[in-house]
Amino acid sequence: MQEFLDFVLRQLIDYPDDMILTKVEGTRRTVFKLQLRQSDVGKVIGKHGQTIIAIRNLLSAAAARHGEKAVLDIVENQAPRRQPERAAVVRAEEPAREIARDVNLPA
C-alpha cells in the first residue's frame, strides 16, 4: 500500500523529492502521514477535496482487500509560523470619539 501511495502522490506534485510519506502501524489500522511543500498541498487535496477523497477511497479499498484498515493524513510542517501583524479592530459599539482617537482624527 505504501508503494501505491508513493507512486500516485509523486505523480501529482511538483516537488516529489521533498515528499515524506511515513507509515505508522497501530493495532487496528495503519496511518500514512504525508508531509509536502506548502505549494504541493493544494494539488494533493484538489478542488473541493476531490483528489484526496479519491486517494483515500483507493487506499481504503486496497487495505480492505488485505483485511486491514488504512488512512492517509496530511501533516503540516511543525515549524512555528510567523504571526500576522495585528490589525486595529474597530467594534461598532465603540463611541465615535474613541474611534477618532485611535486613528488620530479630531473628535
Side-chain angles (χ1 to χ4, degrees), residues 20-38:
I20 301 171
L21 182 64
T22 56
K23 181 179 181 179
V24 179
E25 293 190 36
T27 56
R28 295 185 180 185
R29 66 180 179 172
T30 303
V31 178
F32 291 96
K33 296 188 179 206
L34 177 64
Q35 285 183 291
L36 302 165
R37 279 192 181 195
Q38 190 66 33

Side-chain angles (χ1 to χ4, degrees), residues 56-80:
R56 286 175 173 160
N57 286 338
L58 289 170
L59 176 65
S60 180
R65 292 185 82 179
H66 297 286
E68 301 172 9
K69 291 185 179 181
V71 294
L72 174 63
D73 289 336
I74 298 175
V75 180
E76 291 190 34
N77 290 338
Q78 303 301 327

Side-chain angles (χ1 to χ4, degrees), residues 88-102:
V89 177
V90 178
R91 294 185 178 90
E93 62 269 2
E94 290 181 355
R97 66 176 173 263
E98 289 182 23
I99 295 171
R101 184 192 67 217
D102 288 343

